[in-house]
């Protein structure tokens, strides 16, 4: 059964009150254990991993006490669902037909590398992340990932936690300390932007950010290499659906993906997972 439908929507397309029309596509995936996604309807609908391949197949890592990796076609048809023998404690990353999942075994932080098959995933190897400190979070980029470490510092007779970020390559070798979880220059992303703006990818060599304006609106913005906003679009949360949580964050970057010249945003509406797909050329056609 296909859960695909097309929508032509009217939205406010810029913070300058410019109104236009653009086309989006939505894929509906039911929340159930048969044709749809394995989630607990009574819980927070945790989706730890969300990835899109070049053929527009969708991959999810979901669950709370048990984690499953599921794959759906571009039309929302279920290809497979596979239970993991461990808990995935971070986002999922897709690279060169391999899925990477973060977990902890004893005191070791490990990436599990799975090869992607048409109807399953198969464990290829486990890779130790060589870090002397306990990892608080992990965030993948195109050819690297950044880990967050929490350090304690004392001032005013109180102990405070401070984040430190380290850049790793594949296969999991430390490269250098960086200033923020996205490894962006400070001219593009400043410390005060944390929690307010999420970096979600590159478009035409510029930087795409996502932020929540209010309960009804989220904002996409494009910054140039000097950090100046050169394009902005407002999107309706009523259309996108409710934001989802992961076990490590609320409304994580993971739920917004730029791939295949498109933007994919994950939401939840009326008992379904909703993937809203925007062609970037049309979304930012005046840019």
């Amino acid at each position: 059964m296909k859960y695909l439908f097309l929508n032509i929507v009217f939205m406010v397309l810029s913070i300058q009150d410019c109104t236009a029309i653009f086309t989006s596509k939505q894929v509906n995936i039911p929340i159930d254990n048969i044709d749809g996604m394995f989630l607990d309807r009574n819980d927070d609908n945790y989706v730890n991993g969300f990835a899109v391949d070049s053929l527009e197949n969708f991959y999810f890592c979901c669950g709370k006490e048990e984690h499953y990796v599921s794959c759906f076609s571009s039309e929302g048809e279920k290809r497979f669902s596979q239970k993991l023998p461990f808990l995935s404690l971070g986002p999922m990353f897709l690279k060169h037909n391999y899925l990477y999942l973060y977990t902890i075994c004893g005191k070791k932080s490990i990436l599990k590398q799975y090869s992607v098959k048409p109807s399953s995933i198969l464990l290829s190897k486990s890779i130790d992340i060589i870090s002397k400190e306990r990892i608080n979070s992990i965030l993948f980029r195109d050819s690297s990932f950044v880990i967050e470490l929490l350090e304690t510092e004392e001032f005013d007779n109180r102990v405070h936690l401070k984040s430190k970020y380290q850049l790793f390559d594949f296969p999991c070798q430390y490269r250098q300390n960086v200033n923020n979880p996205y490894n962006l220059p400070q001219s593009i992303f400043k410390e005060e932007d944390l929690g307010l703006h999420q970096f979600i990818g590159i478009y035409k060599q510029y930087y795409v950010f996502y932020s929540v304006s209010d309960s009804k609106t989220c904002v996409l913005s494009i910054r140039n290499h000097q950090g100046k906003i050169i394009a902005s679009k407002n999107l309706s949360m009523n259309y996108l659906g409710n934001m989802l949580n992961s076990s490590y964050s609320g409304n994580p970057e993971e739920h917004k993906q730029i791939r295949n010249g498109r933007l994919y945003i994950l939401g939840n509406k009326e008992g379904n997972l909703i993937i809203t797909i925007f062609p970037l050329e049309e979304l930012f056609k005046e840019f």
Side-chain angles (χ1 to χ4, degrees), residues 69-95:
V69 171
S70 303
C71 177
F72 294 81
S73 73
S74 60
E75 297 184 347
E77 295 177 338
K78 191 172 188 177
R79 294 190 180 278
F80 66 81
S81 184
Q82 188 169 323
K83 182 180 175 181
L84 296 174
F86 58 89
L87 294 182
S88 176
L89 303 176
M92 178 174 69
F93 181 60
L94 178 65
K95 180 180 175 67

Side-chain angles (χ1 to χ4, degrees), residues 34 42 56 86 90 93 97 110 123 129 155 165 182 229 233 237 255 274:
I34 302 173
N42 299 318
E56 207 168 73
F86 58 89
F93 181 60
N97 292 321
I110 292 176
L123 180 65
I129 302 176
F155 58 88
Y165 303 101
Y182 308 118
I229 295 177
K233 296 290 177 289
M237 301 296 288
H255 295 175
I274 305 292

Side-chain angles (χ1 to χ4, degrees), residues 100-126:
Y100 293 88
L101 297 155
Y102 171 66
T103 189
I104 297 175
C105 295
K107 295 183 178 181
K108 291 185 177 181
S109 296
I110 292 176
L111 285 187
K112 297 284 189 177
Q113 177 185 284
Y114 282 83
S115 58
V116 178
K117 306 297 182 182
S119 59
S120 66
I121 57 173
L122 180 65
L123 180 65
S124 298
K125 58 182 176 181
S126 298

Side-chain angles (χ1 to χ4, degrees), residues 3-5 26-32 35-41 44-50 58-63 70 72 75-76 239-245 255 265-276:
Y3 304 100
L4 172 66
F5 60 93
Q26 283 191 324
V27 178
N28 290 3
I29 298 175
I31 298 175
D32 63 47
D35 297 321
M37 181 67 61
F38 179 85
L39 288 176
D40 184 353
R41 288 179 178 272
D44 293 323
N45 291 336
Y46 287 153
V47 179
N48 282 0
F50 174 47
F58 304 110
Y59 299 85
F60 301 90
C61 180
C62 299
S70 303
F72 294 81
E75 297 184 347
Y239 179 64
L240 298 175
N242 299 320
M243 293 179 293
L244 291 155
N245 292 327
H255 295 175
I265 300 181
L266 187 62
N268 176 26
K269 186 188 295 185
E270 298 176 353
N272 294 307
L273 290 185
I274 305 292
I275 307 169
T276 307

